[in-house]
């Protein structure tokens, strides 16, 4: 058999290719599958965080900011621990990005606060002198779409088996119950903000887009 292959270089090359391909599949796929599983610390986004993520996408924040820290010293020194595939298990769609007009935001929740985000979104140059980022004052007056965020959470739970309601995971009950949880989460963020109009709106039962966006950014750790 081997002598025949040696005399037929085409079939020998095919046999070598098949052997290497098989070995690669056996070696790589199990590890790839394992790495794609959620990390123990990875949790689904709460409904308020999902609503903020929708604002993030709507405002095209991912056009200027990546959410992928590569395993290079220059990256980890600036942004923190490099990204791991299991951390993105509940991201749909992924927001890795490919252009950094601004810094990577994957671990921004580790080093920025709610009031910092408030000031930055209202007037970027007030906290980052020379920043070219535009002001997003309009998200301080627009109410966030909680119903769509709830529908997204309900969909990924049913279709993709995202483990809402599991121990130590965000809960997803009826819309009324979820709205109460959203209000509790939002109240903590609003209490850390200085803009009185945001506080007044919350007292009237309204949650501005900036509150949800901050909830999402705070979750990136």
């Amino acid at each position: 058999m081997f002598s025949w292959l040696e005399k037929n270089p085409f079939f020998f090359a095919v046999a070598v290719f098949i052997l290497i391909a098989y070995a690669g599949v056996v070696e790589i796929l199990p590890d790839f599958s394992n790495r794609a599983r959620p990390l123990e610390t990875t949790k689904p986004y709460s409904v308020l965080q999902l609503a903020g993520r929708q604002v993030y996408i709507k405002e095209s924040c991912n056009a200027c900011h990546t959410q992928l820290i590569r395993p290079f010293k220059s990256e980890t020194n600036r942004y923190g621990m490099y990204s791991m595939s299991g951390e993105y298990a509940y991201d749909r769609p992924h927001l890795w990005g490919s252009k950094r007009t601004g810094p990577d935001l994957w671990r921004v929740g580790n080093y920025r606060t709610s009031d910092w985000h408030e000031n930055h979104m209202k007037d970027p140059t007030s906290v980052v002198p020379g920043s070219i980022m535009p002001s997003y004052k309009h998200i301080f007056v627009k109410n966030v779409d909680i119903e769509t965020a709830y529908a997204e959470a309900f969909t990924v739970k049913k279709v993709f088996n995202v483990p809402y309601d599991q121990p130590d995971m965000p809960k997803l009950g009826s819309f009324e119950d979820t709205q109460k949880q959203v209000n509790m989460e939002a109240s903590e963020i609003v209490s850390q903000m200085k803009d009185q109009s945001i506080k007044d709106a919350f007292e009237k039962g309204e949650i501005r887009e900036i509150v949800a966006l901050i909830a999402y950014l705070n979750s990136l750790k």
Side-chain angles (χ1 to χ4, degrees), residues 88-132:
Y88 300 98
Y90 304 127
D91 277 40
R92 293 177 178 83
H94 297 108
L95 299 176
W96 293 323
S98 60
K99 181 176 174 58
R100 284 183 182 161
T101 302
D104 185 276
L105 298 180
W106 186 236
R107 307 215 184 276
V108 69
N110 288 330
Y111 54 86
R112 297 302 186 196
T113 60
S114 295
D115 65 322
W116 189 94
H117 287 306
E118 175 188 9
N119 294 327
H120 188 234
M121 298 303 294
K122 184 179 293 183
D123 181 11
T125 57
S126 68
V127 290
V128 184
S131 173
I132 62 172

Side-chain angles (χ1 to χ4, degrees), residues 123-179:
D123 181 11
T125 57
S126 68
V127 290
V128 184
S131 173
I132 62 172
M133 176 174 151
S135 172
Y136 286 85
K137 293 181 180 179
H138 58 281
I139 66 175
F140 285 74
V141 296
K142 294 180 63 176
N143 288 339
V144 71
D145 186 356
I146 296 298
E147 291 186 4
T148 299
Y150 176 79
E152 179 180 346
F154 189 82
T155 299
V156 297
K157 176 184 177 182
K158 294 295 185 181
V159 177
F160 298 105
N161 296 317
V162 174
Y164 285 104
D165 304 328
Q166 298 298 314
D168 300 322
M169 295 291 185
K171 305 304 178 185
L172 188 66
S174 66
F175 180 76
E176 291 73 18
D177 291 338
T178 301
Q179 183 70 62

Side-chain angles (χ1 to χ4, degrees), residues 23-35:
V25 168
V26 171
E27 180 68 25
I28 295 173
L29 283 187
D31 186 62
F32 181 81
S33 176
N34 181 61
R35 290 175 180 270

Side-chain angles (χ1 to χ4, degrees), residues 43-63:
K43 296 183 179 180
Y45 295 108
S46 70
V47 171
L48 183 63
Q49 291 166 357
L50 274 178
R53 193 171 192 267
Q54 292 172 354
V55 174
Y56 184 96
I57 294 172
K58 176 173 67 73
E59 298 296 336
S60 296
C61 299
N62 54 307

